[in-house]
Amino acid sequence: MLDNLKKYNIILASGSPRRKELLEGLGVDFRVEVVNGIEETYPHDLPVAEIPVYLSRLKAHAYQANANDLIITADTVVILNGKVIGKPHDEAEAKRMLSELSGNVHTVVTGVTVFTADRVESLSCSSEVEFAPLSDEEIDYYVENYRPLDKAGSYGIQEWIGYMGIKGIKGSFYNVMGLPVQRLYALLKTF
């Protein structure tokens, strides 16, 4: 499948092990290449649902695509009550974030940009996630044992907290993991 991509050197421009795992699931050959030091800032008046695509395009600008390169960048945000919940700076902030998500529905939005030397395409995917009420003990256990400091919203749906705490999801499960693979696959078919 995706024979149209054989002419490209595919680069996943993300250090996320989850994105790497999900892209591997599509059966394409790629390598991971990360440019460090990209400041993930966005205009304060940008609608929150547009932030992930903006950031994925910002990350794309840090790369120079050679003639045979196809580069994939992505960014995921968690939105609760119209406010972006990013990655926690420490365990205390992770616990606070999870307390806010507890018993509530939030939105996970991932923006993906795919580009070559002569083409740039972006997509956005949203999923609604409902958490059951979480006890302080459950939150403490998760943060202390799974260290979710590298995850937007302080959780990984594919981990313990997802097994026991997610009541429902509307939309793509893989989007919540960080890469809407079905939408990405459809886009890659057009290159």
Side-chain angles (χ1 to χ4, degrees):
M1 301 305 297
L2 294 174
D3 289 339
N4 60 307
L5 300 181
K6 289 186 178 180
K7 64 185 174 184
Y8 293 113
N9 301 312
I10 301 173
I11 299 168
L12 175 61
S14 173
S16 165
R18 291 155 301 280
R19 288 191 183 116
K20 180 179 182 285
E21 174 189 348
L22 292 170
L23 188 56
E24 285 171 344
L26 287 181
V28 296
D29 290 325
F30 66 95
R31 72 178 191 271
V32 173
E33 187 177 305
V34 179
V35 171
N36 293 316
I38 300 170
E39 188 156 344
E40 297 182 18
T41 58
Y42 50 86
H44 294 289
D45 59 345
L46 188 66
V48 291
E50 295 177 21
I51 292 170
V53 165
Y54 180 90
L55 291 175
S56 74
R57 285 183 170 261
L58 182 72
K59 291 174 182 180
H61 291 306
Y63 292 85
Q64 295 295 325
N66 294 321
N68 294 330
D69 290 344
L70 181 144
I71 302 173
I72 301 167
T73 62
D75 195 83
T76 301
V77 299
V78 170
I79 302 168
L80 178 65
N81 300 324
K83 178 181 136 195
V84 172
I85 299 178
K87 296 176 185 174
H89 294 97
D90 55 32
E91 286 189 7
E93 188 175 20
K95 291 176 182 181
R96 182 190 55 74
M97 287 178 178
L98 289 169
S99 292
E100 290 178 11
L101 296 175
S102 173
N104 286 306
V105 175
H106 63 276
T107 303
V108 177
V109 183
T110 300
V112 179
T113 297
V114 178
F115 66 100
T116 62
D118 58 355
R119 181 175 171 194
V120 178
E121 297 288 339
S122 295
L123 65 88
S124 180
C125 183
S126 297
S127 303
E128 289 184 2
V129 180
E130 181 181 4
F131 261 106
L134 303 171
S135 70
D136 290 344
E137 181 182 42
E138 290 165 334
I139 291 171
D140 290 347
Y141 173 84
Y142 176 68
V143 172
E144 291 164 12
N145 288 282
Y146 290 86
R147 311 254 329 130
L149 303 182
D150 64 335
K151 296 172 177 67
S154 302
Y155 78 94
I157 194 169
Q158 72 282 0
E159 296 175 339
W160 180 83
I161 201 162
Y163 303 151
M164 57 70 62
I166 302 295
K167 281 180 74 172
I169 181 171
K170 183 178 177 184
S172 168
F173 172 86
Y174 300 111
N175 178 56
V176 181
M177 281 182 67
L179 194 66
V181 287
Q182 184 279 325
R183 296 278 308 279
L184 176 58
Y185 177 80
L187 178 58
L188 290 174
K189 287 194 317 186
T190 69
F191 273 80

